[in-house]
Amino acid sequence: MRRYQRISVLCLLTLSILFAVSIDAGTKKSLGARTIVPPCPVWVIGSYDSTGAPNMMTASWVGICCSDPPSVTVSLAKARYSYGNIEACRAFTVNIPSVAYAKETAFFGSVSGRNVDKLAATGLTPVGSELVNAPYLAEFPLVVECRLVQTVEVGSHTMFIGEIVDVKANEDILEEGDRLDPLKLQSFLFFPGSGNFYSTGGSIGSIRDLQAEIER
Amino acid sequence: MRRYQRISVLCLLTLSILFAVSIDAGTKKSLGARTIVPPCPVWVIGSYDSTGAPNMMTASWVGICCSDPPSVTVSLAKARYSYGNIEACRAFTVNIPSVAYAKETAFFGSVSGRNVDKLAATGLTPVGSELVNAPYLAEFPLVVECRLVQTVEVGSHTMFIGEIVDVKANEDILEEGDRLDPLKLQSFLFFPGSGNFYSTGGSIGSIRDLQAEIER
């Protein structure tokens, strides 16, 4: 009998542990090792090819990566036409589209400048930067001129780290004191795993006020 | 007389050129070399300190940086408490907040884990990852477990490149086929130069349909 009691107790314990683990694991589903880390910015990267022709490509594996010097990182696969352009010219621009240019931005990300003159196809206007050897888009509300300072191999992608030389904005997206107004900029987003672009919604509150609610 | 005519023509030419340049430059205002490159994700980075206590900090100088191996980059200043934690543990988590956790996220970005037990202050629940030596947040809808594979010095900030080991999601943010639904996730954004957080808006269309509008 004692032996059966012991076995029963052990069985109960095991079941309890399995139940507790299943509750914990049940709250989150494992999706595996995938690049599902949203939200992702949508930036259009400007460069010159070896003939001096301007090219634009859309990238979302991007981000700000340093405050001083102000720098951004843009990850590109070696097969991309822009890869060789940026490596050769040691410069690129970041062009932030507003929702008005969602079509052109989708197109810039879907075809290669190796085969198509994307600027002719979209009718958008490249402007030669006077600060770096790369073109920016006249129509986009915010453009950032960068000189390439470092390249980092990660795997399928290479990170191009660009030091920001200047940021140029359309006046109508700026508030007083040249502060950016996100609702006037109307930039948009990419979510890995979703086939849509998403807009920027409204403010959900001042960061200072939000943190004060916890500190209180 | 001829001399005056020549001077007049030269003056007119110069004025025309200046006028043309001012029109071109007038469309965009130079803001200088600043990190105004939006939109920026809002990620909460989880790590253990030297006593094994879990810590969370909010970061926006971040991004996906490689598809294979799936990797993210998180830039931190050396002064940050999480800097030493990640360096020592060779691991971190990325926790994506929904708007329901905007207060906690603002707080995680406003005080240092050196002085404050941020998890006690917010009442959120750290869960020890079974895959990497870092904690994630039970309450946040999407968490990403990373092992540190590379550090890159840029200037004021160091890029921590983490290989994604697993992504875990609450089932209620997933559509059929485990695809992420951005509108259910309700992640939010930071815009450099603005003191607010901003929500994710609605879909502005399928990327495939948008590009087809140009190709047509």
Side-chain angles (χ1 to χ4, degrees), chain A residues 189 191 197-202, chain B residues 182-183 187 189 198-204:
Chain A
L189 300 168
F191 286 78
F197 283 142
Y198 288 82
S199 64
T200 299
Chain B
L183 298 182
S187 59
L189 300 168
Y198 288 83
S199 65
T200 300
S203 164
I204 56 171

Side-chain angles (χ1 to χ4, degrees), chain A residues 27-32 61 65 67-68 75 103 138 140 156 159 166-167 169-170 178 195 197 199 201-202 204 207 213, chain B residues 28-32 61 65 67-68 75 103 138 140 156 159 166-167 169-170 178 195 197 199 201-202 204-205 207 213:
Chain A
T27 59
K28 296 230 184 306
K29 182 168 187 176
S30 168
L31 303 178
W61 282 194
C65 67
S67 299
D68 183 20
S75 286
K103 286 197 298 281
F140 279 24
S156 62
M159 301 174 78
D166 195 22
V167 177
N170 288 0
D178 288 345
F197 283 142
S199 64
I204 56 169
I207 298 172
E213 288 188 45
Chain B
K28 295 228 184 312
K29 182 168 186 175
S30 168
L31 303 178
W61 282 194
C65 68
S67 299
D68 184 18
S75 286
K103 286 196 296 282
F140 279 25
S156 62
M159 302 175 78
D166 194 22
V167 177
N170 288 0
D178 287 347
F197 284 142
S199 65
I204 56 171
I207 298 171
E213 288 188 45

Side-chain angles (χ1 to χ4, degrees), chain A residues 116-145:
Chain A
V116 179
D117 180 342
K118 298 195 231 184
L119 287 151
T122 54
L124 294 185
T125 317
V127 179
S129 163
E130 289 175 4
L131 302 175
V132 300
N133 187 19
Y136 63 81
L137 283 171
E139 289 85 355
F140 279 24
L142 189 69
V143 300
V144 184
E145 296 153 283

